[in-house]
Amino acid sequence: MTFPSRLLFFMGLALMGALMPLAGLLAEEEEREPGLVLVSTIKGAIGPATSKQIEDAIAKAEERNAEALVLRIDTPGGLVTSTRDIVSAILASDVPIAGYVWPSGGHAASAGTFIIYSTGIAAMAPGTNIGAATPVMMGGGGMPGTPKQPPARPGETEAERSTPSNEEALSKKATNDAAALIKSLAETHGRNAEWAEEAVREGASLSAREALEQGVVEIVASDIDSLLAQMDGREVVTASGKKTLQTAGAEVEHVEPGFMVELLALISNPNVAFLLMMIGVYGIIFELSNPGTFGPGILGAICLLLGLYALNQLPLDYTGIALIVLGLTLMAVEAFTPTFGVAGFGGLVAFIFGAAMLVDSDNPDFQISWWTIMGTAVASAAVLILLLGYTLRAMRRPVATGAEEMTGAEARVLEWSHGEGYVHIHGERWHARGPAELAPHSTVRIEKLDGLTLVVR
């Protein structure tokens, strides 16, 4: 190798050595380039539609390899079953999830507290609050101002009075279960487990600043940009292990609920689901009573299936279901085999009680309103009254066919000889027998029908 060649070789090596650190810096900078952050907004009561929305958002975040998923939450609470489904979906996510109580004035009460505690990053906007996560049993508490414990019965001992009722035992069981769950979530993400238990057992609540000071949340941020800046560099726990977030300046994309989520949100309203089921039942009854119309039957089948699907997503009381089925069966019996209102109005009473008991939830957003119950009851009563009136009118109407209709009717003699001949009635020629002295064109009255022969006088 000549001298110029050696010189060029060593200069190349020196240049490569100088560029290596720069290449490393460029590679590191490329690795640290911020990725995509998805945002899904949860507003209103937590139910089956919310569960579906969050599961879809998590699936989309995993599919697009997002840096994080932010759940913006403003909820008064919701169904226990849906809350547990959401918590399970969040804990099983490979993408880091941040729970963000938003906007100012919003809250994460009851079920919302569990969701925030299950996320890898817990954040709140100024002016929000969190807590009040005590499970409430249906029918508990009584009317305001009434004593919590009934007066002692004659001969009742103090030990007997202190024995918890079945309702109290169920309430205690639900509270203990909820407390164990939220403590487990707090331990998973290193948050304040003592306050979490207080939120469940005593209904404690905190403002955003208090929650930050007590270790309930990690971040207080006024908007998404501030939240992502404060999340950057934090280590979170996911289903696939710990991950360090790189969210500063990340691209933000909002995930809107899909058509199925919107449809489920509509029909999972218990009032809508109940009305769909009623429309379906009456459509099928009308189709069975008027075969061949098809329209009411098809519409009724669609509405009934949608209503049953929606109700299946809600916590149902099986006694309520049984009473509704009994009520509808009795009303159908009234429609097809009239019992002069006995079966119909008995079915109406069973239907009202069943509808009132149908959804087993303490949350008003998932209970059937009395306006809906009474509206459907009044409509059913109107149908029954119309059926009863039709039945009574049909009974008073004279017989228009058969032997009974012929008896007593007048006929004109066409031919007659030796006590028998032919008469004309209702545009028809009939064989008849009767008195021998009858003459053609005379008028006779039919006494009875003997086979295909009329007996006249």
Side-chain angles (χ1 to χ4, degrees):
M1 183 181 291
T2 61
F3 177 75
S5 299
R6 291 195 187 94
L7 180 61
L8 289 174
F9 176 73
F10 286 115
M11 287 178 64
L13 290 177
L15 183 60
M16 289 178 61
L19 290 176
M20 286 293 290
L22 180 59
L25 289 173
L26 290 174
E28 183 178 353
E29 194 65 29
E30 184 178 352
E31 289 176 2
R32 290 184 57 83
E33 182 180 348
L36 173 68
V37 172
L38 300 183
V39 179
S40 181
T41 301
I42 311 300
K43 190 172 181 62
I46 302 298
T50 314
S51 177
K52 173 68 174 169
Q53 179 182 349
I54 292 178
E55 288 173 3
D56 289 349
I58 292 174
K60 188 171 184 179
E62 292 178 342
E63 178 186 347
R64 301 187 60 181
N65 197 26
E67 186 65 27
L69 169 65
V70 177
L71 300 177
R72 295 195 302 192
I73 299 173
D74 180 14
T75 177
L79 301 178
V80 174
T81 51
S82 297
T83 303
R84 284 192 171 270
D85 290 341
I86 292 169
V87 168
S88 298
I90 291 174
L91 295 178
S93 172
D94 292 328
V95 174
I97 299 178
Y100 180 34
V101 188
W102 178 91
S104 296
H107 59 160
S110 190
T113 305
F114 286 86
I115 296 173
I116 291 294
Y117 258 79
S118 67
T119 57
I121 294 289
M124 298 175 68
T128 57
N129 63 280
I130 186 173
T134 305
V136 181
M137 299 296 293
M138 280 197 70
M143 294 295 292
T146 57
K148 293 184 180 296
Q149 192 174 24
R153 299 189 299 272
E156 185 180 26
T157 65
E158 188 63 31
E160 291 173 336
R161 280 177 57 78
S162 63
T163 302
S165 66
N166 185 55
E167 183 178 335
E168 291 172 340
L170 290 174
S171 178
K172 186 176 181 181
K173 180 179 178 180
T175 301
N176 290 338
D177 182 61
L181 173 62
I182 203 165
K183 283 174 65 178
S184 175
L185 296 174
E187 292 166 359
T188 300
H189 298 293
R191 299 194 183 113
N192 190 332
E194 293 182 4
W195 179 86
E197 188 172 4
E198 286 182 14
V200 171
R201 296 190 182 280
E202 301 174 17
S205 293
L206 292 175
S207 66
R209 183 57 55 186
E210 292 171 335
L212 181 64
E213 292 172 353
Q214 296 193 30
V216 173
V217 299
E218 292 84 41
I219 297 172
V220 172
S222 57
D223 54 33
I224 286 290
D225 292 336
S226 174
L227 172 63
L228 297 184
Q230 295 186 60
M231 284 170 54
D232 188 61
R234 292 178 180 265
E235 188 177 71
V236 296
V237 177
T238 67
S240 56
K242 293 184 178 180
K243 183 176 181 180
T244 302
L245 297 174
Q246 299 174 9
T247 55
E251 178 188 354
V252 176
E253 181 178 320
H254 292 267
V255 181
E256 299 299 330
F259 171 76
M260 288 304 299
V261 173
E262 296 284 3
L263 177 63
L264 187 57
L266 174 64
I267 66 174
S268 62
N269 181 315
N271 296 291
V272 175
F274 185 69
L275 289 175
L276 284 173
M277 186 181 71
M278 293 306 302
I279 292 172
V281 169
Y282 281 120
I284 292 174
I285 290 176
F286 186 84
E287 178 69 33
L288 292 176
S289 61
N290 298 272
T293 52
F294 295 111
I298 294 172
L299 178 63
I302 293 172
C303 290
L304 182 61
L305 290 175
L306 285 174
L308 292 175
Y309 170 76
L311 289 174
N312 185 57
Q313 307 299 309
L314 301 171
L316 300 180
D317 187 303
Y318 292 104
T319 303
I321 295 175
L323 284 171
I324 288 178
V325 171
L326 174 62
L328 293 174
T329 302
L330 290 175
M331 286 189 277
V333 167
E334 183 66 40
F336 291 104
T337 55
T339 61
F340 303 99
V342 176
F345 285 101
L348 187 61
V349 172
F351 172 81
I352 292 174
F353 279 105
M357 299 167 58
L358 182 61
V359 181
D360 185 12
S361 172
D362 58 280
N363 193 317
D365 291 318
F366 292 99
Q367 293 176 1
I368 301 176
S369 74
W370 279 105
W371 288 107
T372 302
I373 294 172
M374 297 313 297
T376 52
V378 168
S380 300
V383 171
L384 288 174
I385 291 172
L386 288 174
L387 288 173
L388 185 59
Y390 178 81
T391 303
L392 294 175
R393 287 195 299 272
M395 290 185 63
R396 297 192 186 102
R397 193 179 301 133
V399 180
T401 60
E404 292 83 359
E405 188 272 336
M406 299 282 281
T407 303
E410 290 185 348
R412 183 170 56 89
V413 177
L414 297 177
E415 302 174 14
W416 201 261
S417 176
H418 304 294
E420 63 177 338
Y422 293 93
V423 298
H424 184 270
I425 182 172
H426 296 166
E428 299 172 336
R429 178 185 172 95
W430 281 78
H431 181 262
R433 70 171 185 268
E437 64 272 13
L438 292 179
H441 305 294
S442 61
T443 301
V444 295
R445 189 175 298 277
I446 299 170
E447 290 187 329
K448 64 180 180 177
L449 183 65
D450 184 11
L452 294 177
T453 299
L454 299 178
V455 180
V456 301
R457 59 182 172 83

